[in-house]
Structure formats: C-alpha cells, structure tokens
Amino acid sequence: MKFEKGIKMLIVSSYPPRECGIATFSNDIVNSVKKVFGHTLPIEVCALQNEMNHFEYGNEVKYILSTASIDEYRLVAEKINERNDIGLVCIQHEFGLYGGEYGDYLLAFLLALNKPIITVFHTVLPNPDEKRKKVVQAIIDLSNRIVVLTNNSQEILTNQYNCQKSKINVIPHGTHIVLWEQKEILKTKYHYSDKIVMSTFGLISENKNIETVLYSLPEIIAKHPEVIYLVIGKTHPEIIKREGEKYCNMLMDIVQKLHLEKNVVFINEYLELKQLLKYLTLSDIYLFTSKDPNQAVSGTFAYAMSCGCAVISTPIPHAVEALKEGNGILLNGFDKPEEFQKAILKLIESKEERIAMGKNAYSLSHATTWENIAIQYGLLFGKLTNREEDLSFNLPPIKLNHIKELTTGVGILQFSNFSQPDPVSGYTLDDNARALINMVMYHNYCQDDTALKLANTYLSFIEDIQRDNGRFDNYKNYECQLTPQNSEVNLDDANGRALWALGYVIAHKHTLPLDLVRRAEKCWDKALENIYEITSPRAIAYTIKGLYGYYSINPKETIKKYIEQLADNLLNHYHINSEKNWCWYEDYMTYANNVLPEAMLYSYLATGNHKYKKIAIITFDFLLSHYFMKGQLKVISNKGWFKKENERVFYGEQPIEVATTIITLDLFYEVTGNIKYKDQLELAFIWFLGNNHLKQIMYNPENGASYDGLEDKHVNINQGAESTLCFFKSQLIMGKHAKKNANQTKVIDI
C-alpha cells in the first residue's frame, strides 16, 4: 500500500476534556509526537463518547464516536476509509470504553476499516472466560500490530490468548520530564520544607483502597508528626454517576475517626498536568494502593517514579516489573495496613535510602519519557505504512536555561547531579573556554544581551586562571582556589582551548563590545609567548583554530608562520602513524578526534597550501568511515579507545564527540561544497534527537541541557557543562543552516 506525503495517524480513544486516564494518555501521545516529528507525522483523533457526556474538543478531534450505538462504529469507519491521507488507525483499548459485551462493538469498527490498525491494550486480563478471550482474539486478528505497556501483558497475550509474539510491541507508559532540583524548591514554595510528604493521586474509586494507608497512619504519626499525606484527585466520574461521593465520604470519616485531620490533605480536583507534577515532585514517598491484582499498568505509578518519589506499591504487574534495582518497595499483598506501615516507617527513618530510591526511580524513568515513547510510536507507524523515509525529527528550541543554572559569578561549573549543578565539582578552563565560544556564537545568532553577560563571566574566568607567564591552569574548586590537579595532569589541551576561545573572540571584534575584545587580546598576547610549549596533537589543533580566528581579522605574517609550523607538526604525526588502512595522526582514536582534520583544513585556509587540504580530507573521510554505520552516527567509545591493532569497542558515546563531528562537517561543507558533508552533519545531529542505538533522546527538553553519555542499555542523565555546551553549539550550527535557506523547514530526515 502506497501513501502520499503528509499522511496521518488517527487515534481512536477517549479524549480531553473527558476526565479519564486513557484520555490523558492519548493526549500525551498527540502532543509528544507533534513535538518530536512535527508536521511529518500529523495526528487526528476520533473521540469516544458515551450517551451521558458531550464535550467541546480541540481542533485535532475530527470524529466523535458514540460508543453505545453499534451502527455508529460502521458509519465512522466508512468516513475514515474515504480519507486517502489517513494511513493508520491507532485504537486505544480498554474494555469499558466500548459498547456491547466486553466492548465487542469495537469489532464492527475494525471489520469495516480498510486501513492498517494498531491496537494498544491498556488492560490484559489473565485467565479470561471464553467470551472475553474470543473478543480479544478477534481484535488481535483484525489488527496489524498489537501494543502492550508491560512485558507481563505480552506474556499473557502470548500464552493465554494465543497471540504471536512477533505481532506484539512492548511500548511502556510515557512519563513527563521534571527537573530534580525542583523537589526542594517546591517543598519550600508549598510550605512543606519541614515535612515528609507522601502522596497518592488519580481518579478516586473504591478500587484505590486508600483506606489501607489511612489505617496505617496513627502509629506512624505518633512517631513522626511531620508526616503529611496528600490524597490528590477527585472521584471518578463514572463512580459519581452510580453512587455519588460515597467512597470519598467514607475516607473522610476514617480521617476524623482516627484524628488524622492535621496530617491528611484531600486535594479534591482533577488537576492540570503542571500542577499535578508539582505535587508529585515535592512528594518524598508515593503510595500506590490499588487492590486490583490484574491492573496491568498505571499511569499514576509511572508518573510518580519519573518525579523522583520513593514508591511503595501493592504488587500489580506493572509494579512487579518496575520496582527493581532499589527504586522502591514492593509489598507482598493487598489490603494490608501493617505492610504499608512497616514500609513507610522504613523510608521515613532512613532518609538516605529514601533519597537513593527516588533517584534510582527518576533515572530509570528517562527511557519512558513521552519524547522517547513518541519515537517508538513514530517508528512503528513508519514501518507499518512503508514510509519511514518520510519521517523527520523536529529541531528542538535552543534554550539557555541549564547553562545559566550552571553559571555562577565565577564561571560555569563542571558537573551536575541530574540537572542540579554540583558545586563540589568546581570549575575548569576547558568548560569556560567552550562556554565563551558558545556565547559569542549565540550573540551572532540572535543578538541576545544575555549572551554578552555570560561571555563576560567566562572571559573573566580565563583571565583569572592565566599565570603571569601566560600559561593557563585548568582546575579551580568552588572556593576559587587552584586544585592539585593542575600539577598532576597535562594542561596542553586546556591551553589550546583557551587560545581557541580567545582567537574566536578576537575574530568577532566587529560584533562584540570593544572592552571584551581588548581583554581577550591582552590574554592572547601573553599566551602566545608559550605557543611552542604546546606539543600534543589535539592541543596543537585547538591552537591552530585560535590562530586562524586571530588571522582572519589580523592577517599578520607571524601568525601565518605559527600556523604553518604547527600544521607541519600535525602532518609529521600523520606520516609517522599512517598506514595503508590507517589514515590517521595517531595509532589510536580517542576523544575530539575531528579537531585534527579540522585544524588541517583551517591551516589550508590560512596558508593556501594544498597539502594541508589533501591530508585534511583524507583523514576526515577515514574518520567518518568509522563513524557512520547503517544510517546512524556511532562515535568512538570512552570505554576503550579505538587502537590501530585492536577491534573497536562500541557504546559509551559522549556528546563531545558528536558535537566535534558536527562542527567539522560544517566547516568541510562550507569549504568544499560537498553535499555528503551536509547530509552527514544532519545525520550526526539527530543522534541527540533519538537516532541512536537506544532510540532515546539525548537532551533535556525542559532546560536545553544534554545528557552526559549514551551507554549500552541506558542514558547517563547527568547534565554537565561539557555535554550541554556541545549540544548548544550543535544547535547553533543547525540553526545557522536553517537560516541560510528561508525555504528550509526545520526538520531533519531520519
């Protein structure tokens, strides 16, 4: 089946403003797919509506299906069939959403559709009776692909419903990204800084079994009166129709009976997402109390983990799978107040363990962020419609947030614990030199005065760490004292980066404040006296980049000679180490490899000597041949450098290598005009956006940071200065290319 471009996915589901967990789930898919894939994967919605409810929907809702009328299913299906631009229908399935016995009216809809169908089973019940089994099997047979949210659900479908395992995709429930440092900030804002906050949230029903926790609280509060329990959410609309507020009133009666009024707070609202995430983020402990042993998955449970709560849960299948590796406490059974009491007391009385559990849960939840879930749905859509080549990643907006968070009055801090700046890590010249270059680039890109203020801070750091003899130290602690590392490690690379940064500032003297440029020139003049002390290949390469920047605005013969001498030094490294199948400057590849051929090409631009250009192209193409494989960028692993005589180690990829690849591809494309470099540049950038072996984003959409590393099976979600600055610079380069062509849409092909 062949489809035209602009083809759409249609989601069939309950949908906001209907208050329903699956409605929220579907809305999150719509929003996240739009954020990740933009107009290359548009989504429309067919909203499910029962007889009692009529809602005003958003523009994405194009159809309304009245679920109580079996004729409606066929009529709506026929309307969908008439649309050539709908390429796939995604059914969100829960038994109670559809009319008939076990929701079997849905079968009329599936039978009438002539589009590819994905069915997402939110509930997969074990040990089904014959009628339920036949309905589920019919849905499976009429669907091209089945999606479940847990491995347990996949096993049940395979073993008890005879579904082929190859037909099933496990795509977890999505989660929202929150910033770790907000936990304490929000506790203070809501006046809970001296409290231990526990919470439960979701649409309230008897199945929540919240009374189990209430009965466990008196003894806990007697020992720890600082405990606050937030019960967040209002009674489920379907429950209100049947029995009103009976269950909620019962809970309030228990609170009064047990004299818990000062410690239990009912937030009887269906909260907007932002407010809900705030309550979860400020919570220390999340209590999942469901008494339904067959509840396959819980969005509330997933959200709590992603907000960094230490979770205590009854053993529903989702919790059994998720609460491993010290990220929560799984109870042995249901409806056991004494088990909740024991677990709660353990976490209250062991703050260290409580925080560690929250951090583990927070870290593991990265894989299920809605952006990552959107990638999985998008790739599945592309596969089923044979149009993977038409899908493109949206360019994310450029954000200074995390760079500003990392920056003090002294400079930019080196590391972060998740997104929270780590003062103990101190400062490096390396990062402040990178940051200075970034801010000059950013100022040229958008003339933002904030960039100049930050640039001033980073240049001040460089000035302060320069010795009287012109050389630079690299490391300072948070108290601005030089550390012993400066005498323990080679500082060549740091000195080379400093010269690069200073030369870059001087090269842009016509767009920068005069005082900033003069200060850079003063540092430059002192540093230049030590240029022949720089001997390592990368330090030489950084120095050449700085010299080229200076030479581009001050074409002095002495600077040109420096470039020639240093380039010849690199050329000598090449002649010593290169062989027939090893066209490189060293007998191994480590980090920032791209800077070596980049420096050679700059040497050609400054001197006009074609031997530099020739070797630049030979070595860069050799490097790229090891970096691009099967439509993805795979840079050298930091877990074992690529040595000439050894097999290459994979995984352990870092943003610095991706960014230097992008920077160098940009230069080679500008100089040679060879379109292959532009294509590879775009392919390299989408490593950050999810085109990597884990199919996960490598940046934080909330603050504009980059994560620190792509490992074999997980992402290191710490967000240090080096990674963030590398991503920021890569974004500026991509933005430059988008600006050059006003007709170019801001998307990049997968």
Side-chain angles (χ1 to χ4, degrees):
M1 188 178 294
K2 189 175 174 78
F3 300 108
E4 59 190 56
K5 281 199 173 188
I7 200 164
K8 297 170 181 169
M9 180 194 295
L10 179 74
I11 291 181
V12 180
S13 175
S14 56
Y15 204 73
R18 183 171 174 179
E19 294 172 352
C20 162
I22 292 179
T24 303
F25 178 95
S26 296
N27 186 230
D28 283 328
I29 287 181
V30 170
N31 291 336
S32 58
V33 168
K34 182 179 180 181
K35 182 187 293 185
V36 172
F37 294 111
H39 71 267
T40 66
L41 181 46
I43 297 185
E44 292 183 359
V45 176
C46 173
L48 302 173
Q49 198 161 274
N50 57 35
E51 294 173 320
M52 304 294 293
N53 296 319
H54 298 278
F55 301 105
E56 293 292 327
Y57 293 108
N59 293 332
E60 65 268 32
V61 175
K62 304 300 182 185
Y63 304 97
I64 296 173
L65 174 55
S66 297
T67 58
S69 169
I70 193 167
D71 292 335
E72 280 281 304
Y73 290 82
R74 178 180 54 80
L75 292 172
V76 173
E78 288 176 354
K79 291 178 182 177
I80 294 168
N81 289 339
E82 293 171 2
R83 295 271 303 277
N84 292 328
D85 61 337
I86 292 178
L88 182 143
V89 178
C90 181
I91 310 288
Q92 302 296 328
H93 181 272
E94 182 69 76
F95 292 102
L97 284 179
Y98 300 95
E101 188 177 3
Y102 294 132
D104 63 356
Y105 283 9
L106 174 62
L107 299 178
F109 183 74
L110 298 177
L111 283 164
L113 275 176
N114 61 12
K115 307 281 186 182
I117 297 168
I118 297 172
T119 297
V120 181
F121 281 119
H122 289 261
T123 296
V124 180
L125 294 173
N127 307 312
D129 59 41
E130 198 60 30
K131 171 64 177 177
R132 188 189 301 273
K133 184 174 182 178
K134 286 183 177 179
V135 171
V136 172
Q137 286 178 327
I139 293 170
I140 291 169
D141 290 342
L142 292 168
S143 302
N144 298 77
R145 193 60 61 97
I146 298 298
V147 171
V148 293
L149 284 69
T150 65
N151 292 319
N152 180 72
S153 292
Q154 182 186 46
E155 290 176 13
I156 294 171
L157 277 186
T158 303
N159 298 329
Q160 299 185 35
Y161 292 88
N162 304 318
C163 181
Q164 291 181 338
K165 198 168 186 177
S166 60
K167 195 172 186 176
I168 304 172
N169 283 61
V170 180
I171 302 180
H173 195 295
T175 55
H176 296 276
I177 296 173
V178 300
L179 301 180
W180 180 262
E181 63 269 24
Q182 287 296 311
K183 293 188 79 68
E184 286 303 319
I185 293 171
L186 288 169
K187 283 190 81 169
T188 301
K189 180 180 177 180
Y190 283 81
H191 308 292
Y192 288 136
S193 56
D194 58 345
K195 306 291 185 183
I196 294 176
V197 181
M198 306 190 302
S199 64
T200 296
F201 93 91
L203 290 169
I204 306 298
S205 67
E206 185 178 351
N207 204 45
K208 289 284 187 183
N209 208 25
I210 293 168
E211 63 271 23
T212 309
V213 172
L214 297 181
Y215 286 125
S216 76
L217 286 180
E219 190 172 327
I220 293 170
I221 290 167
K223 293 182 178 179
H224 301 282
E226 73 275 16
V227 167
I228 294 290
Y229 180 37
L230 306 179
V231 181
I232 307 166
K234 69 178 189 178
T235 303
H236 197 293
E238 299 300 321
I239 302 295
I240 289 179
K241 290 176 194 173
R242 294 200 301 267
E243 57 188 53
E245 295 284 5
K246 178 182 174 183
Y247 179 68
C248 195
N249 290 335
M250 183 198 78
L251 295 178
M252 292 180 181
D253 289 341
I254 294 172
V255 168
Q256 288 186 336
K257 177 183 173 183
L258 299 177
H259 308 293
L260 301 172
E261 295 93 333
K262 293 182 179 179
N263 301 85
V264 178
V265 179
F266 288 92
I267 302 170
N268 189 18
E269 301 176 55
Y270 190 83
L271 297 176
E272 291 185 2
L273 177 65
K274 285 185 179 180
Q275 186 61 41
L276 171 62
L277 293 177
K278 286 179 181 179
Y279 277 121
L280 287 176
T281 302
L282 65 81
S283 297
D284 300 288
I285 300 169
Y286 184 78
L287 306 174
F288 187 80
T289 56
S290 172
K291 62 180 179 182
D292 181 2
N294 295 322
Q295 184 174 350
V297 70
S298 167
T300 66
F301 177 92
Y303 284 11
M305 290 185 65
S306 69
C307 289
C309 300
V311 178
I312 300 172
S313 177
T314 53
I316 67 164
H318 188 180
V320 172
E321 278 188 29
L323 292 184
K324 299 174 182 177
E325 304 179 41
N327 57 351
I329 295 177
L330 185 70
L331 303 182
N332 292 319
F334 301 85
D335 199 21
K336 294 184 177 181
E338 67 279 4
E339 283 205 18
F340 269 107
Q341 185 182 95
K342 181 180 177 182
I344 291 168
L345 283 171
K346 178 181 179 180
L347 293 186
I348 289 174
E349 293 170 358
S350 178
K351 181 178 180 181
E352 194 172 290
E353 185 174 3
R354 183 174 76 238
I355 292 173
M357 281 185 178
K359 284 185 172 182
N360 286 340
Y362 181 83
S363 182
L364 289 170
S365 294
H366 169 268
T368 62
T369 61
W370 276 114
E371 289 80 3
N372 289 331
I373 299 305
I375 291 170
Q376 294 193 51
Y377 276 100
L379 294 177
L380 180 57
F381 174 84
K383 185 175 182 179
L384 289 178
T385 58
N386 298 314
R387 59 178 298 274
E388 289 171 279
E389 70 280 0
D390 293 334
L391 284 177
S392 302
F393 286 113
N394 250 7
L395 287 179
I398 296 172
K399 293 184 177 182
L400 266 174
N401 303 43
H402 192 53
I403 291 174
K404 290 194 288 187
E405 281 292 313
L406 284 168
T407 302
T408 70
V410 174
I412 192 166
L413 289 165
Q414 190 174 186
F415 297 133
S416 284
N417 296 315
F418 301 138
S419 58
Q420 188 167 16
D422 179 17
V424 175
S425 67
Y427 309 91
T428 66
L429 171 63
D430 286 331
D431 289 331
N432 281 274
R434 291 186 185 103
L436 177 57
I437 294 167
N438 277 14
M439 289 308 105
V440 174
M441 286 182 69
Y442 188 57
H443 180 255
N444 290 337
Y445 182 80
C446 65
Q447 288 74 53
D448 187 342
D449 287 344
T450 304
L452 293 179
K453 292 177 183 176
L454 291 168
N456 179 69
T457 299
Y458 306 137
L459 179 57
S460 294
F461 183 91
I462 294 172
E463 290 173 313
D464 291 341
I465 208 165
Q466 189 174 28
R467 301 172 186 169
D468 291 339
N469 66 359
R471 287 277 290 177
F472 296 91
D473 286 301
N474 191 22
Y475 303 97
K476 276 188 177 182
N477 62 24
Y478 190 63
E479 287 72 36
C480 297
Q481 300 165 329
L482 295 173
T483 70
Q485 284 173 281
N486 290 300
S487 57
E488 295 167 355
V489 299
N490 190 309
L491 300 180
D492 267 13
D493 283 8
N495 276 264
R497 281 196 189 90
L499 281 164
W500 171 26
L502 294 170
Y504 194 85
V505 171
I506 295 165
H508 293 85
K509 66 188 300 181
H510 296 310
T511 61
L512 295 173
L514 182 60
D515 177 64
L516 193 76
V517 176
R518 283 178 174 171
R519 289 163 54 201
E521 288 174 335
K522 185 176 179 182
C523 287
W524 171 271
D525 290 340
K526 287 173 64 178
L528 209 59
E529 296 176 9
N530 304 285
I531 195 166
Y532 292 120
E533 293 184 24
I534 295 174
T535 57
S536 71
R538 275 162 193 75
I540 289 170
Y542 291 130
T543 302
I544 289 173
K545 290 177 70 172
L547 288 165
Y548 176 80
Y550 186 93
Y551 185 77
S552 68
I553 204 79
N554 297 305
K556 297 178 180 178
E557 192 62 28
T558 53
I559 300 298
K560 182 178 176 181
K561 285 183 179 179
Y562 284 144
I563 293 173
E564 286 178 334
Q565 289 172 311
L566 292 174
D568 285 341
N569 194 327
L570 279 186
L571 206 56
N572 188 46
H573 278 280
Y574 174 77
H575 289 312
I576 290 171
N577 292 291
S578 64
E579 295 178 5
K580 182 179 179 181
N581 296 317
W582 186 260
C583 305
W584 198 241
Y585 306 88
E586 300 163 303
D587 60 3
Y588 51 81
M589 291 181 183
T590 57
Y591 75 100
N593 297 296
N594 298 273
V595 73
L596 300 173
E598 183 192 13
M600 291 302 288
L601 193 56
Y602 274 125
S603 300
Y604 158 72
L605 293 175
T607 66
N609 192 328
H610 282 270
K611 69 178 180 181
Y612 300 145
K613 181 180 180 182
K614 178 183 177 182
I615 298 303
I617 291 174
I618 288 172
T619 54
F620 190 43
D621 285 349
F622 173 73
L623 179 66
L624 294 176
S625 72
H626 289 282
Y627 273 15
F628 289 95
M629 303 175 186
K630 297 180 180 179
Q632 284 184 356
L633 175 70
K634 291 185 179 292
V635 296
I636 301 302
S637 169
N638 66 341
K639 299 199 178 300
W641 303 127
F642 182 22
K643 297 181 181 179
K644 180 163 51 175
E645 303 300 331
N646 294 2
E647 288 188 10
R648 179 176 165 185
V649 176
F650 288 93
Y651 311 119
E653 300 172 37
Q654 293 185 304
I656 183 174
E657 198 61 32
V658 178
T660 56
T661 304
I662 290 168
I663 293 165
T664 308
L665 283 165
D666 179 46
L667 176 67
F668 273 69
Y669 173 62
E670 293 289 337
V671 173
T672 69
N674 191 331
I675 197 68
K676 78 170 184 179
Y677 294 127
K678 183 174 184 289
D679 292 341
Q680 288 176 313
L681 185 155
E682 294 175 347
L683 192 57
F685 183 73
I686 59 175
W687 179 90
F688 287 108
L689 308 188
N691 189 36
N692 48 60
H693 76 269
L694 289 183
K695 301 296 183 187
Q696 293 183 23
I697 58 171
M698 285 300 299
Y699 71 98
N700 187 329
E702 290 298 304
N703 63 5
S706 169
Y707 299 124
D708 278 354
L710 180 71
E711 308 300 339
D712 184 4
K713 295 181 180 178
H714 74 280
V715 171
N716 176 352
I717 64 168
N718 290 328
Q719 295 146 56
E722 177 184 279
S723 302
T724 296
L725 292 166
C726 285
F727 177 57
F728 189 84
K729 185 179 293 182
S730 300
Q731 284 186 289
L732 292 175
I733 290 171
M734 298 310 301
K736 177 190 73 174
H737 282 277
K739 277 188 172 183
K740 279 187 175 180
N741 186 350
N743 297 319
Q744 178 180 337
T745 53
K746 286 193 174 184
V747 294
I748 306 171
D749 291 340
I750 295 175

